[in-house]
Each structure stands twice: as C-alpha cells, then as structure tokens.
C-alpha cells in the first residue's frame, strides 16, 4: 500500500470519509423501529428477536468505541481504518442478504461495532490534522454527520416501512460503506502506532463489552414485560454494576484505556452530564413519536414526515455550533440546547390527543436542542483535556452517551404503553419524563460549572492542537466550596 493517498491532504475528502463512515449505522439506529415487524416477518422470526438484534448492535457500537482505542494505539491506525471500513461493507451486505435470522443478527451487530471502531479511528484525525481555522467547519460536519443522521433516520424508516423493502435500506448502507472504504484509500497516510507497547487491557475490554451488552439486552426484553421482571431487571443491574466497575478500574489504572481520572474536573464532567442527558432525552422523545404515536395513528410514513423538522433544525444548530465553537459561549450552548429539548418534550405531550402541529413544533425544538447540546458538550470536554488523548476522550464520551441514550428511550416507550388509564395518558407521562431528564441535565451541568467558580474563557485552539496544553481552563470540582472552607478556616 502506498504511504500517501492521492487525496491525503484534501480536507473535503477527509470530511467525506468521516460522513460516509458514520452515517449508515447512525441512520439505522433511528430508522429501524417501524421496520422491525417487516424484517421479522420476512426472516420468519419474532419482532422481539429483531429488537434484541438492534439493541445488541447499539451495545456493540458502545464497545467498538473502546476497542478502537486499543487497536489504533497499538497498531498502525490508518491500516486499521481501512480494515474497519472494508469489514463494514461486508457486514452490511450480510445483513442485507440475510437468508436466515442469524445472518441479520451477525451483520447488524457487526455494523454497530465497526461504526464505533470507525468513529474513534476517523474523527480525531479530522479534528487534529488540519489547521485551527478548519475547526468550525469540522464542528459543523461532525454535528451533521452524527446528529443529522440520527435526525433523518425516522423519515427514512417511515419511507422503507411503507414500501416494506427493508433489504434495500441495508444494501444502500453497504454502498455508502463502500464509498467510505474508497476514501480510506484515497486519503491514506501511513502513520506508526502511537504506543505499540501498550498493554492489552483485557479487563477494560471485557467490562466495556459485558456492561453495555447486559444493559441493552435487558432493555430489549421490556416490550410486553414490566421493569421488575427478572428478564429485564437482572441484566440491567448486572450491566450497570459492570459499567461502574469499568469506570472505577480505569480511574485507578496507571495507564488507562479510557482517561477517567483526567475527566475529574469541572468542564469535562459538565460535558458528560450535558451529553448524556441530552442524548437520553432526545432519543427518548424520538422513540416515543416513532413507536407509540403509530399505535394511535397506524401510519409510520406519516409519523416520519412529521419528524422531518428534526433534520432541518439540526442543520441550523450545526451552523450555530460552528459560529460559537471558538467563543466563550461554547460552554453555555449545551445548557441552551437542553432547555430547548425540555420545551420540545413539553409540547409533545399535546400530540397524545392528535394534532400534527404539536409533533412538528416539538420535532423542530428537539432537533435544534440535540444539535446544540451533544456535540458542543463533547467538544467542550475535549478542549479541556490534552489533544493527544482525544481518541480516548471521545471513546469514553461515546460509551457513556450511547448507554444513556439507548437505556432511557426503550424504558420510556414501555412507560407509555403500560402506564395510565390509556395510551394517550401513558404517552403524555413518558414525554414529561423525557423533558424532565433534559431539565435535570441543565440543573446538573449548570451546578457543576457554578461550583467551579468561573466560566472558561475563549478556547485557545492553537495551543491545544499543538499539544502545548488545554484549550479551555477547567477549574477543579467544587472549587467554590473548597475556597469557602479555606476562608472559614482562615477566619477562625
């Protein structure tokens, strides 16, 4: 393989690589809900089993983001990127072909894991390999690529559910993946491993696989069951214990795979709280519209059309993100996004009694809210840590964000079905809870920033990208309280 591809220094080409690599699976995460009965009928299996496959694909995505750090640190990173892209094409083709349920399960779960691998292998080079002047454009691209794809998924799912041609959707995913593979070759730059002697952290990899795996298996068992059912509750508890064990183990490790200890100050923690609560609230609200409203309207295509404003406002918020990225307002943007998400959830409660206007207005606010919160939260966390560990930073953030988003959404969908005297009452309750998650995120992240004693200033992207320090100064946790304790002690 040549040391350099023909388009190795082309910024648009690297952007195209990232978009083509990430969007296929991310679109599938929000497009498959109305297609699950169609897939189950075609493959001769149950809807529950397809639900398990989609849940485990999300778990595999979370695990892939951790596994990728191990692989691209120990092995030549660009060769790994080429391999991941090639395998994604094969996984997508296997899922699309699927002569039997096992092929769909293997193919779709592999799609999730490989997208997690691609995310960590492809995104940090896009952020760090070009001058700081490109950062605002990169922010727009990443916001659209990740959250624009999620926002477009419900409409695409409605279209393919209406035509009942689910295999075509997966063949298209394979085709887009082939485009990503082509760009991995065209933009190829031979790079040595960052640390070929890094130990293989078997404990961390096991916990990162088993924790999300158990959690997502538990939530996949929710349809038709209550939360207290052992098939749901036991895997959930075991998975959460394993995930907490991972965080503690990595905090104590001398050379951690994911840098938990380095997150232990104000801005990164506020970023994690913002990203997790925004992802959980937004995905829950989208799932409520996708999975519960069709039971009231029986028209998934119509529901998908009502969710189209998600993409339009996600585009607008991406542009705003690019404008505010290198200003002092970056840290405030996630809080504003969470407030918009809460407002969207409150408005969505009116959709239970009919009226497309409620869904249109709510989806517009949800799209703007999630686009204004999750990616800005990820960047503010990344800016407050050293740029050489950016892959590890993104790995931890995506692991936690994915668990938060895909744990809360199925739970609230089940709340809507089993709570209240009617489906309408259950839908309203679940929407209020999802809005409440966003409100708690505002309170939590805002309190953490306030306890730090001061807002970070303007990000110093030049220093950060040069590896000379952080872009944002982040006070220690509870700096205000510690200062007050010292003042009281001095007065005494």
């Amino acid at each position: 393989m040549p040391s350099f591809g023909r388009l190795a220094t082309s910024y648009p080409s690297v952007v195209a690589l990232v978009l083509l690599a990430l969007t296929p699976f991310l679109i599938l995460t929000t497009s498959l809900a109305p297609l699950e009965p169609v897939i189950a009928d075609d493959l001769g299996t149950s809807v529950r089993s397809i639900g398990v496959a989609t849940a485990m694909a999300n778990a595999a995505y979370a695990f892939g983001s951790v596994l990728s750090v191990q692989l691209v640190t120990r092995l030549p990173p660009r060769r790994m990127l080429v391999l991941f892209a090639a395998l994604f094409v094969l996984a997508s083709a296997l899922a699309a072909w699927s002569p039997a349920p096992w092929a769909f399960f293997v193919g779709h779960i592999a799609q999730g894991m490989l997208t997690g691998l691609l995310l960590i292998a492809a995104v940090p080079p896009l952020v760090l390999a070009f001058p700081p002047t490109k950062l605002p454009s990169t922010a727009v691209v990443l916001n659209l690529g990740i959250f624009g794809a999620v926002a477009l998924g419900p409409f695409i799912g409605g279209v393919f559910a209406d035509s009942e041609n689910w295999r075509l959707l997966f063949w298209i995913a394979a085709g887009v993946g082939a485009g990503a593979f082509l760009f991995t070759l065209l933009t190829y730059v031979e790079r040595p491993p960052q640390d070929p002697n890094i130990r293989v952290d078997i404990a961390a990899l096991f916990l990162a696989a088993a924790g999300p795996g158990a959690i997502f298996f538990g939530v996949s068992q929710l349809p038709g069951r209550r939360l207290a059912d052992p098939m749901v509750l036991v895997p959930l508890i075991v998975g959460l214990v394993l995930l907490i064990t991972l965080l503690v183990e990595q905090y104590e490790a001398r050379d951690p795979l994911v840098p938990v200890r380095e997150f232990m100050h104000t801005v990164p923690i506020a970023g994690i709280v913002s990203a997790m609560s925004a992802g959980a609230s937004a995905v829950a609200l989208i799932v409520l519209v996708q999975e519960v409203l069709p039971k009231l309207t029986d028209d998934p295509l119509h529901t998908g059309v009502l969710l189209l404003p998600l993409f339009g406002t996600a585009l607008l918020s991406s542009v705003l993100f690019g404008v505010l990225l290198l200003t002092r307002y970056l840290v405030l943007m996630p809080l504003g996004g969470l407030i918009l998400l809460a407002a969207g959830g409150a408005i969505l409660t009116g959709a239970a009694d009919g009226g497309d206007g409620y869904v249109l207005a709510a989806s517009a606010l949800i799209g703007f809210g999630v686009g204004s919160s999750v990616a800005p939260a990820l960047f503010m966390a990344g800016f407050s840590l050293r740029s050489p560990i950016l892959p590890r930073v993104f790995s931890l953030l995506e692991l936690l964000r994915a668990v938060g988003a895909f744990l809360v959404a199925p739970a609230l969908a089940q709340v809507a079905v089993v709570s209240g005297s009617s489906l309408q009452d259950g839908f309203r309750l679940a929407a209020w809870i999802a809005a409440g998650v966003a409100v708690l995120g505002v309170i939590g992240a805002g309190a953490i920033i306030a306890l730090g004693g001061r807002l970070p200033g303007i990000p110093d992207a030049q220093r950060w990208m040069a590896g000379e320090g952080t872009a944002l100064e982040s006070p220690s946790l509870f700096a205000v309280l510690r200062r007050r304790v010292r003042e009281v002690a001095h007065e005494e």
Side-chain angles (χ1 to χ4, degrees):
M1 181 177 288
S3 296
F4 292 92
R6 293 185 178 183
L7 301 177
T9 59
S10 168
Y11 178 76
S13 298
V14 179
V15 165
L17 163 61
V18 170
L19 290 177
L20 293 172
L22 299 184
T23 53
F25 177 75
L26 294 176
I27 287 176
L28 290 175
T29 61
T30 52
S31 65
L32 288 188
L35 282 165
E36 287 181 359
V38 178
I39 298 171
D41 183 64
D42 188 22
L43 295 178
T45 188
S46 66
V47 175
R48 183 185 295 278
S49 65
I50 299 300
V52 171
T54 57
M56 299 313 292
N58 292 328
Y61 170 80
F63 169 62
S65 68
V66 176
L67 176 62
S68 187
V69 172
Q70 182 79 78
L71 294 177
V72 301
T73 302
R74 188 179 177 88
L75 302 170
R78 291 297 298 204
R79 296 184 189 182
M80 291 295 99
L81 184 60
V82 173
L83 177 63
F84 300 156
L87 291 176
F88 180 85
V89 177
L90 295 178
S92 300
L94 177 62
W97 172 58
S98 292
W102 68 264
F104 177 80
F105 299 161
V106 172
H108 189 42
I109 292 170
Q111 280 183 312
M113 186 178 72
L114 289 161
T115 301
L117 291 166
L118 285 164
L119 173 74
I120 304 305
V123 169
L126 173 62
V127 174
L128 298 175
F130 295 93
T133 53
K134 293 292 187 182
L135 274 177
S137 299
T138 300
V140 174
V141 168
L142 291 179
N143 209 6
L144 264 184
I146 297 175
F147 303 105
V150 171
L152 199 56
F155 172 71
I156 293 175
V159 170
F160 281 90
D162 188 62
S163 67
E164 298 189 354
N165 192 356
W166 69 272
R167 292 180 186 271
L168 177 59
L169 178 59
F170 280 84
W171 282 120
I172 291 173
V176 175
F181 174 70
L182 175 62
F183 274 99
T184 62
L185 300 179
L186 292 174
T187 62
Y188 187 86
V189 179
E190 182 66 42
R191 298 189 189 280
Q194 186 179 29
D195 185 1
N197 297 317
I198 187 175
R199 69 185 179 93
V200 178
D201 197 335
I202 297 176
L205 294 175
F206 169 77
L207 293 169
I215 290 170
F216 288 124
F217 178 80
V219 298
S220 73
Q221 300 302 306
L222 268 171
R225 295 187 172 99
R226 293 189 174 273
L227 183 60
D229 190 299
M231 283 293 291
V232 177
L233 192 59
V234 172
L236 276 178
I237 293 175
V238 170
L240 289 171
V241 169
L242 291 174
L243 186 61
I244 293 170
T245 302
L246 169 67
L247 298 178
V248 173
E249 189 271 336
Q250 290 293 282
Y251 179 86
E252 298 291 343
R254 291 185 177 180
D255 185 18
L257 200 57
V258 289
V260 176
R261 184 182 292 272
E262 298 204 34
F263 271 78
M264 291 297 109
H265 47 98
T266 304
V267 176
I269 294 295
I272 287 177
V273 171
S274 298
M276 289 186 69
S277 54
S281 178
V283 174
L285 291 169
I286 292 171
V287 167
L288 285 174
V289 175
Q290 279 188 293
E291 296 189 11
V292 181
L293 274 188
K295 295 176 181 177
L296 300 171
T297 64
D298 197 29
D299 190 349
L301 177 57
H302 179 66
T303 303
V305 171
L306 293 179
L307 285 171
L308 266 179
L310 283 170
F311 182 75
T313 52
L315 174 61
L316 292 176
S317 65
S318 297
V319 174
L320 178 63
F321 178 34
V323 172
L324 298 181
L325 176 68
L326 298 179
T327 73
R328 66 179 71 251
Y329 302 107
L330 170 65
V331 177
L332 300 178
M333 196 174 178
L335 302 181
L338 284 164
I339 292 171
L340 291 175
L341 281 171
I347 291 173
L348 190 61
T349 61
D353 297 315
D356 291 351
Y358 288 105
V359 183
L360 289 168
S363 61
L365 287 173
I366 294 166
F368 209 108
V370 72
S372 300
S373 51
V374 179
L378 297 178
F379 266 82
M380 75 185 229
F383 276 169
S384 62
L385 299 167
R386 298 173 294 114
S387 62
I389 64 169
L390 188 61
R392 302 183 186 211
V393 171
F394 276 8
S395 171
L396 179 59
L397 288 168
E398 276 302 290
L399 171 68
L400 296 177
R401 184 195 66 82
V403 169
F406 296 109
L407 170 60
V408 172
L412 289 187
Q414 187 65 6
V415 165
V417 172
V418 303
S419 300
S421 58
S422 66
L423 189 57
Q424 287 87 347
D425 289 341
F427 180 88
R428 277 191 291 268
L429 175 62
W432 278 120
I433 295 174
V437 170
V439 171
L440 290 175
V442 174
I443 296 171
I448 290 168
I449 292 173
L451 289 172
R454 67 179 187 276
L455 285 174
I458 298 173
D460 188 343
Q462 186 76 44
R463 180 178 69 171
W464 181 70
M465 295 184 71
E468 298 172 353
T470 63
L472 287 174
E473 294 298 326
S474 179
S476 62
L477 284 172
F478 311 119
V480 170
L481 296 179
R482 291 173 180 172
R483 190 181 310 127
R484 182 58 183 160
V485 168
R486 287 197 298 269
E487 289 174 354
V488 170
H490 179 72
E491 291 172 358
E492 293 177 351

